[in-house]
Amino acid sequence: MDLVISFFSGLSSLGVSVVMPIVLTIIGMAFGAGFGKSLKAGLTVGIGFIGLNLVINQLMGTDLAGAVTAMVHRFGLSLSVMDVGWPAASAIAMGSIVGTIIIPLSLLVNVVMLLTNTTQTADVDIWNYWHFAFTGALVAIVTGNVAFGIAAAVINEVIVLIIGDVTAPMVEKSLGLPGVSIPHGFSGAYAPIAFAMDWIIDKIPGLNKVDINVESLQKRFGVFGDPVLLGSIIGLVIGVLAGYGFLPAVGADGKATPSFFATAVSMGAVMVLIPKMAALLMEGLLPISDAASAFIQKHFQSRGKIYIGLDSAVGTGHPVTLTMALILVPFAILLAFILPGNKVMPLVDLACIPYMLVLVTPIVRQNGFRGILTGIVVLAVGLYIATDLAPLITTAAASVNFDMNGAAAISSICDGANPLTWVIVRLGALGGGIGLAIPAVGALALAFWNRMRILKEAKVLHNENE
């Protein structure tokens, strides 16, 4: 067992850009795509992830976060809990006891669910199993029991896999990703809120008629409705609010500040480069997806369609998602200071807002108006959750010797603002095994319902192919 854990821990430490080519090459060969085609597909996906991470980490994680930090200092804003970002959250999760076994454990759960027809998703995105470990690590702390933490991680995974199944047809249609689902622990957690918001808006006369998307904006406003222009305009506003000048300057503290034009161009670049990197990911995935579909149709007709589960990064390039994300950045800052009781200052994880919205976009059918309303609700709920979980996250960080840079308390938007994580953790806090029995029964009920849905779908597909 130690050897198995060490192998998967070492594999995970290579990073998603290395792990995905290895995993997809093996999967492609298993589905009969051939070594050469599978290797090229895997490497293309890995390169796409490198490009995507470079764009997001630099343009949003550095340039945008720097502008927001300057804005906070300029207006004398301060909150007591530091947003340390997803890299820190993942390090805390994978450094925990639950994190050491999460990859082989999650793979086993996924295989069992595939064999029992309780999921259609083969989740190959093993790096992002850390989201399940994060939930487990917090439950282990709040209950004082590692076994409960492991159980919580499994419950989280089961629910997220089912969310991936249910939203997969929408992902295929909206994002142009055939044969792909997004069983992402962070993105998937907001799908129920998006469904609820979409249903509520449908019931409100007048509001249910409002439909704003990037394509309609482009037709109405011409070049000024283009995603590049929209991103640049939003970046310009953020740069001005940050106090940046017409030219770069050096402040009294000796730190250089860029021109607000630099922020404008950076945000315009986000709108161009992220879709191109996402397109590269899709280019690599298509041969694997086609081979998987042909293999399943030939050998497992009773199982219906099988999806390849991938990182939600593949959906961040949608123009509606990106536009909503940039618009919601100033809303996130505003909400942080006007919501009574919030203590978290969103900084590092502002770059994660696109990931938060990846499944919102297809659920609201690319309607930017509904997406922004949903995003505001999601951010408001998330800030309260991040505030509530801050003491537990701070304790978890201390348990793995994470350097908090002098901060008294830390949290994050990803996964500290995760509503699914919060529900499981708080139910676990009610009484350990008794509290966890509630989400466990819920997960089993969902799995049974999903099995009935899958078998029904498989029967329909089988009849169509005859």
Side-chain angles (χ1 to χ4, degrees), residues 74-338:
R74 184 186 182 202
F75 293 103
L77 306 174
S78 63
L79 291 166
S80 60
V81 178
M82 180 187 296
D83 168 22
V84 293
W86 74 264
S90 64
I92 292 168
M94 298 306 280
S96 68
I97 296 176
V98 178
T100 60
I101 65 169
I102 194 62
I103 293 179
L105 175 66
S106 294
L107 284 171
L108 177 62
V109 170
N110 192 190
V111 169
V112 170
M113 290 185 69
L114 284 168
L115 292 175
T116 56
N117 271 341
T118 50
T119 188
Q120 297 168 281
T121 294
D123 189 3
V124 303
D125 184 23
I126 65 174
W127 161 249
N128 276 306
Y129 290 175
W130 76 261
H131 295 282
F132 312 139
F134 187 81
T135 300
L138 296 189
V139 169
I141 290 172
V142 79
T143 62
N145 189 312
V146 174
F148 289 155
I150 294 171
V154 171
I155 292 168
N156 194 348
E157 179 185 8
V158 170
I159 294 172
V160 167
L161 284 171
I162 294 169
I163 290 173
D165 290 345
V166 172
T167 56
M170 303 175 193
V171 167
E172 286 188 310
K173 182 179 179 181
S174 175
L175 304 180
L177 295 170
V180 168
S181 68
I182 300 179
H184 192 268
F186 179 58
S187 304
Y190 300 101
I193 297 177
F195 279 119
M197 285 292 296
D198 192 56
W199 182 84
I200 291 170
I201 295 171
D202 271 337
K203 304 301 178 183
I204 303 174
L207 209 62
N208 57 11
K209 302 298 182 183
V210 181
D211 186 358
I212 300 175
N213 58 47
V214 172
E215 290 181 2
S216 65
L217 283 175
Q218 191 165 357
K219 290 177 182 177
R220 182 174 299 180
F221 298 109
V223 67
F224 291 100
D226 188 277
V228 178
L229 268 296
L230 287 174
S232 297
I233 291 169
I234 294 168
L236 183 67
V237 172
I238 292 172
V240 171
L241 290 175
Y244 293 168
F246 183 80
L247 296 173
V250 178
D253 57 1
K255 293 183 178 179
T257 59
S259 160
F260 53 67
F261 285 121
T263 308
V265 174
S266 291
M267 294 307 101
V270 165
M271 301 295 286
V272 173
L273 296 177
I274 290 182
K276 290 189 180 297
M277 292 303 102
L280 193 60
L281 287 171
M282 287 182 262
E283 178 186 331
L285 289 170
L286 281 175
I288 305 296
S289 176
D290 291 343
S293 297
F295 183 88
I296 297 301
Q297 186 175 349
K298 180 179 180 181
H299 297 284
F300 299 99
Q301 291 183 349
S302 64
R303 296 189 183 277
K305 190 169 185 177
I306 296 294
Y307 298 100
I308 303 298
L310 293 175
D311 190 327
S312 59
V314 298
T316 56
H318 196 288
V320 174
T321 300
L322 284 177
T323 302
M324 292 191 304
L326 291 182
I327 290 172
L328 286 170
V329 167
F331 273 103
I333 307 303
L334 177 64
L335 288 170
F337 290 100
I338 66 173

